[in-house]
């Protein structure tokens, strides 16, 4: 339970303290302490790696094996043989593991009482058959695909720099659900249809774009998503501007005083490293998707420019990120974007003589029988 709500370190020390206290007041205290420390440690670090419901049952099996082998090992070490083993204890270990099943409903009860979210709930929310995600995939398929890519980028970065990658992946899946209310106003859903922004003013366009944040938070609340997931929706644009419509308005109204609030996201700023990474991954994936050419050099410049611009705008002031974290994030995102878009370096054109020689070789090769398949 502690591992599901907090982290493995907290749960390990919780188990250690309980084993010491219990071992001090019961017969065979050291035997109990040793066995419970081994089994509790196995529970903590197996539950910490949960990514689907099946892992929970694997964890129970690992706990049972640890109980049995630690008990047998202790008896063999202290008695010198296995003759003194009380095999009825093995049955008790099995019963103990069966009782561990009650942690699943207890975790759910604690979530409702204390308003916190466990990793088990995040695992359930990863299912793309969630009603909100299914509706998003139907009404805004481009946004749905974008969200999946952003979720993968976010998870990869947090696996590199450290953080709750499971929570962040769920937040990334739901971060743009508000776009389903006006899907055609977002370029990834437009396809070959006429752009609806052509029929409204830049102020109205900016308002529709910005409103997807508040719309998404409202939809998430209606579907009873955890408060942490709603925070990802609210913070994934921070206090940045709807830059395109702001610049177009300034171009067409030179000298006019512009109310920045009308073109600015309401925030708040990301206040965890997970939220900050989502902001970076969201901007990089959207910008890379919009690029016509995906060479390694252009993707590198794109990622560098986006991250540096966020830093200049002080979007990460409340997030627990270091400059090394940002550099690592850039490298991970650049590597994944290069794989997604098959970016290659631009090779120089070969000399004309080399081209002619190559063409001549190809003509000769056409006259030879085909003996294999080249890549």
């Amino acid at each position: 339970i502690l591992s599901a709500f907090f982290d493995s370190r907290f749960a390990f020390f919780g188990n250690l303290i309980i084993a010491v206290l219990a071992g001090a007041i019961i017969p065979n205290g050291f035997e109990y302490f040793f066995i419970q420390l081994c089994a509790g440690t196995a529970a903590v670090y197996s539950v910490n790696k949960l990514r689907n419901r099946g892992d929970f049952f694997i964890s129970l099996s690992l706990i049972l094996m640890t109980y049995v082998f630690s008990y047998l090992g202790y008896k063999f070490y202290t008695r010198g043989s296995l003759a003194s083993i009380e095999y009825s204890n093995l049955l008790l270990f099995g019963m103990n593991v069966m009782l561990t099943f009650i942690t699943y409903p207890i975790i759910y009860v604690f979530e409702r009482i204390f308003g916190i979210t466990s990793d088990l709930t995040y695992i359930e929310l990863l299912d793309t058959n969630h009603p909100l995600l299914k509706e998003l995939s139907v009404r805004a398929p481009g946004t749905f695909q974008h969200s999946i890519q952003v979720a993968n980028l976010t998870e990869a970065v947090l696996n590199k720099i450290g953080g709750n990658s499971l929570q962040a992946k769920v937040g990334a899946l739901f971060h743009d659900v508000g776009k389903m209310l006006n899907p055609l106003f977002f370029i990834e859903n437009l396809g070959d249809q006429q752009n609806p922004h052509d029929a409204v003013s830049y102020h109205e366009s900016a308002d529709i774009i910005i409103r997807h944040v508040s719309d998404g938070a409202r939809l998430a609340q209606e579907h009873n998503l955890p408060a942490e997931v709603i925070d990802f929706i609210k913070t994934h644009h921070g206090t940045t501007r709807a830059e395109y419509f702001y610049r177009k308005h300034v171009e067409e109204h030179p000298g006019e005083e512009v109310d920045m609030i009308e073109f600015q996201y309401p925030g708040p700023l990301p206040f965890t490293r997970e939220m900050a990474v989502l902001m970076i991954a969201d901007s990089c994936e959207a910008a890379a998707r919009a690029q016509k050419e995906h060479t390694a050099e252009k993707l590198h410049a794109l990622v560098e420019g986006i991250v540096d611009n966020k830093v200049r705008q002080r979007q990460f002031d409340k997030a627990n990120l270091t400059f090394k974290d940002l550099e690592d994030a850039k490298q991970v995102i650049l590597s994944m974007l290069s794989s997604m878009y098959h970016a290659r370096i631009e090779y120089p054109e070969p000399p004309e003589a080399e081209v002619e020689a190559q063409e001549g070789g190809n003509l000769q090769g056409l006259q030879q029988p085909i003996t294999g398949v080249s890549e």
Side-chain angles (χ1 to χ4, degrees), residues 51 119 122 126 147 150-159 162-175 228-229 232-233 272-279 281:
R51 282 300 178 271
D119 284 353
Y122 289 131
L126 283 178
S147 298
V150 171
N152 292 333
L153 289 172
T154 303
E155 181 183 35
V157 171
L158 287 167
N159 285 337
N164 192 335
S165 60
L166 179 60
Q167 180 195 69
K169 187 172 185 178
V170 173
L173 283 176
F174 288 92
H175 79 283
E228 295 87 347
V229 175
F232 277 95
I233 297 173
T272 66
R273 66 197 292 110
E274 291 81 8
M275 294 176 190
V277 169
L278 171 59
M279 173 184 279

Side-chain angles (χ1 to χ4, degrees), residues 62-369:
L62 182 61
I63 293 170
L64 177 59
M65 291 172 58
T66 307
Y67 266 130
V68 171
F69 285 112
S70 61
Y71 174 69
L72 295 177
Y74 180 85
K75 287 296 186 182
F76 185 79
Y77 178 77
T78 56
R79 303 295 175 88
S81 71
L82 300 178
S84 61
I85 292 176
E86 301 177 22
Y87 289 96
S88 61
N89 284 340
L90 302 183
L91 179 61
L92 294 177
F93 292 144
M95 293 173 61
N96 190 22
V97 171
M98 295 299 295
L99 287 171
T100 309
F101 273 106
I102 68 174
T103 59
Y104 214 107
I106 287 177
I107 287 172
Y108 179 80
V109 172
F110 283 178
E111 286 182 327
R112 293 297 174 266
I113 293 175
F114 299 106
I116 53 180
T117 308
S118 71
D119 284 353
L120 293 176
T121 295
Y122 289 131
I123 290 170
E124 293 173 355
L125 291 173
L126 283 178
D127 188 354
T128 54
N129 286 319
H130 187 281
L132 197 54
L133 292 179
K134 286 188 71 174
E135 188 176 1
L136 178 66
S137 68
V138 172
R139 300 178 63 176
T143 298
F144 179 70
Q145 292 300 322
H146 161 73
S147 298
I148 291 176
Q149 299 288 11
V150 171
N152 292 333
L153 289 172
T154 303
E155 181 183 35
V157 171
L158 287 167
N159 285 337
K160 172 69 174 179
I161 69 174
N164 192 335
S165 60
L166 179 60
Q167 180 195 69
K169 187 172 185 178
V170 173
L173 283 176
F174 288 92
H175 79 283
D176 268 346
V177 292
K179 290 183 178 181
M180 73 169 70
L181 300 185
N182 293 289
L184 295 183
F185 281 87
F186 299 90
I187 190 65
E188 66 266 23
N189 303 308
L190 188 58
D192 57 359
Q193 302 180 63
Q194 184 175 356
N195 193 337
H197 286 289
D198 297 338
V200 298
S201 68
Y202 295 128
H203 280 99
E204 292 174 303
S205 291
D207 179 67
I208 292 170
I209 295 297
I210 291 170
R211 201 167 59 232
H212 86 271
V213 172
S214 57
D215 287 340
R218 178 174 54 79
L219 288 171
Q221 289 172 340
E222 291 174 357
H223 284 77
N224 298 315
L225 293 185
E228 295 87 347
V229 175
I230 297 175
D231 286 336
F232 277 95
I233 297 173
K234 292 179 178 178
T235 61
H236 76 276
H237 282 293
T239 57
T240 57
R241 286 193 306 238
E243 197 67 31
Y244 174 81
F245 298 108
Y246 168 74
R247 292 183 180 276
K248 294 296 290 184
H249 178 80
V250 170
E251 286 178 12
E252 294 191 6
H253 302 83
E256 179 183 314
E257 185 175 349
V258 181
D259 185 359
M260 293 295 298
I261 300 300
E262 296 182 2
F263 293 92
Q264 189 174 31
Y265 286 93
L269 294 175
F271 51 87
T272 66
R273 66 197 292 110
E274 291 81 8
M275 294 176 190
V277 169
L278 171 59
M279 173 184 279
I280 295 171
D282 179 40
S283 298
C284 289
E285 201 284 331
R289 183 188 292 257
Q291 271 194 336
K292 295 181 179 179
E293 296 183 33
H294 297 101
T295 63
E297 292 81 1
K298 290 186 178 181
L299 284 176
H300 181 269
L302 177 75
V303 174
E304 287 282 346
I306 287 174
V307 175
D308 293 346
N309 191 44
K310 301 292 185 190
V311 172
R312 283 195 300 270
Q313 294 176 348
R314 306 181 70 95
Q315 295 297 306
F316 306 139
D317 282 5
K318 296 183 179 181
N320 184 23
L321 279 179
T322 66
F323 283 110
K324 184 179 186 307
D325 291 335
L326 291 176
E327 288 301 319
D328 289 340
K330 290 178 188 177
Q331 294 303 315
V332 172
I333 291 175
L334 179 60
S335 174
M336 292 190 66
L337 289 178
S338 298
S339 299
M340 288 161 53
Y341 294 106
H342 308 289
R344 299 289 186 269
I345 61 172
E346 294 181 355
Y347 292 98
E349 292 293 330
E352 185 176 348
E354 184 179 337
V355 173
E356 292 177 355
Q358 185 177 4
E359 289 176 348
N362 289 340
L363 289 173
Q364 293 176 2
L366 290 174
Q367 300 171 358
Q368 302 296 325

